Amino acid sequence: MTPPDPERYPRESNEISRSAAEEQKRNNRRTYALGITVAVVTTVSVVIAALQYFDDKAEDGADEAFEAGDPLKISAGESYWGPSWYAKEDGSDKYAGQLFDMPSTDDSQPSFAWLQKHWTPLNSTGVAVNVLSKHKHTVLVQGVEITHRKCTEPEPGGALFATPPIGDGGSLEMPAVFAFNVDAPRPIARKMNTEGLPGEPSRVNVTLEKGDQREILLHFFSGTKSCTFQASLIVSSEGKRYKQRIPAHWGEKGDDAYTFRVTAPNRNHAYETRYVTAPGTDLTKFRIVTVPASGLTWNKNNQPTYTPETDTSEWTP
């Protein structure tokens, strides 16, 4: 009978201990690796959540900044291009024979910029504005207020000027149209009648939800006075009342940008000089010519129409 090995049990015990230790190490490595994976996933999740949080905050901040202040963003509309007739105190013939530069922005030479700076719209002027609602809740345009109004008698003498045809810019959606007699004791919004003049009183009621846009077309008339004035939209939003000024001239700064001018004809339509712009064979060029008073017809609303009495081929630029 073989005697028992006295080192067997210690040796087996050591092997068992070593195996257990190795298994523990493997478990530790797996646990460590799993921990790193979880940590990485958690970190990535935290980073993504943080980025989303800051993106949301930035978006909220942009929304809050956009919604802060006035409820409407006002920009230039497309449905109004300007008056067809202008008046000026100076009645000399110094412009006769000059070319009228249609696209020019030089206000020192005959052009629309020149008319805007140095002449006054005759009978009527206007503006088209596009309004964009900025607030979360319903925004209501409730009226138009005429302010800073100063009216005098039209200057005697002077000159008239008929612009080249400038038409109408048109609109994809019909604008909300309102007319005002700015020389009335209390100018109020009116409908445009079939003669293109202020008619019956009209309620201003333009409702906009956030992101809605609408074009508003305003016509200002004067049949008896020469007037300067400013105009503001009266807007209601979230229980508050706002006044938002309407630019008279886009691109300018200061009060001049918000000051409208319009004049009625002078007494007996006694203008020293009457200019019209006549196209030649090149329809992009117009020459300024003087015309006789007999060529002008004034309707009951003191608005002029010119009928040529001569062969316009003589006016070719």
Side-chain angles (χ1 to χ4, degrees):
M1 180 174 179
T2 304
D5 184 356
E7 297 181 357
R8 174 183 175 187
Y9 294 107
R11 186 171 57 250
E12 290 179 349
S13 177
N14 289 337
E15 289 176 355
I16 292 171
S17 296
R18 283 196 299 272
S19 296
E22 291 297 329
E23 183 64 27
Q24 183 63 45
K25 288 180 180 180
R26 285 193 293 272
N27 288 338
N28 288 343
R29 285 195 293 269
R30 285 194 291 266
T31 301
Y32 181 72
L34 179 61
I36 291 176
T37 303
V38 170
V40 170
V41 171
T42 302
T43 301
V44 171
S45 300
V46 169
V47 170
I48 293 174
L51 291 174
Q52 184 64 51
Y53 172 79
F54 287 115
D55 284 346
D56 291 344
K57 292 293 288 184
E59 186 175 342
D60 290 344
D63 287 344
E64 289 175 3
F66 186 69
E67 293 176 6
D70 292 331
L72 296 179
K73 180 181 178 181
I74 296 177
S75 58
E78 299 291 337
S79 294
Y80 182 78
W81 284 17
S84 297
W85 287 86
Y86 287 79
K88 195 173 187 291
E89 294 179 28
D90 181 3
S92 69
D93 288 335
K94 63 183 178 182
Y95 306 115
Q98 296 187 36
L99 287 177
F100 186 89
D101 193 341
M102 290 277 284
S104 175
T105 57
D106 183 356
D107 59 23
S108 66
Q109 300 295 327
S111 62
F112 284 114
W114 169 77
L115 283 174
Q116 178 178 298
K117 182 173 182 179
H118 301 288
W119 295 67
T120 301
L122 182 74
N123 295 121
S124 70
T125 188
V127 66
V129 296
N130 186 66
V131 294
L132 167 65
S133 176
K134 297 166 54 180
H135 285 186
K136 292 180 180 179
H137 303 287
T138 301
V139 172
L140 179 62
V141 181
Q142 293 181 302
V144 177
E145 183 178 53
I146 307 297
T147 61
H148 300 79
R149 185 177 56 156
K150 297 179 181 179
C151 293
T152 62
E153 293 297 323
E155 291 289 336
L160 287 181
F161 192 101
T163 69
I166 50 180
D168 188 312
S171 177
L172 294 178
E173 180 183 358
M174 288 299 294
V177 182
F178 305 99
F180 299 82
N181 288 316
V182 296
D183 56 341
R186 181 173 173 265
I188 61 172
R190 296 179 178 276
K191 297 177 181 179
M192 290 279 284
N193 64 21
T194 55
E195 296 179 301
L197 295 167
E200 298 178 353
S202 175
R203 181 182 178 187
V204 178
N205 189 353
V206 179
T207 303
L208 302 166
E209 302 301 329
K210 183 179 179 181
D212 285 351
Q213 297 188 68
R214 184 74 187 277
E215 189 177 37
I216 298 177
L217 177 56
L218 305 176
H219 289 277
F220 304 107
F221 293 82
S222 181
T224 60
K225 303 287 185 179
S226 179
C227 300
T228 61
F229 59 95
Q230 294 184 10
S232 299
L233 294 178
I234 305 301
V235 185
S236 176
S237 176
E238 299 180 352
K240 295 181 180 180
R241 187 173 185 266
Y242 298 81
K243 291 183 182 181
Q244 293 192 234
R245 289 198 299 176
I246 303 168
H249 307 295
W250 301 96
E252 293 188 10
K253 297 180 179 180
D255 280 347
D256 286 346
Y258 295 94
T259 300
F260 293 87
R261 294 178 295 164
V262 65
T263 185
N266 66 18
R267 187 175 300 175
N268 300 321
H269 310 139
Y271 289 97
E272 299 170 26
T273 313
R274 295 149 298 277
Y275 297 106
V276 300
T277 48
T281 53
D282 183 349
L283 297 181
T284 65
K285 295 181 179 179
F286 291 79
R287 186 175 298 281
I288 300 173
V289 298
T290 55
V291 297
S294 57
L296 288 173
T297 302
W298 297 82
N299 65 21
K300 64 179 181 180
N301 301 309
N302 272 335
Q303 294 176 321
T305 300
Y306 176 69
T307 303
E309 295 184 336
T310 60
D311 181 359
T312 57
S313 63
E314 298 178 5
W315 303 346
T316 301

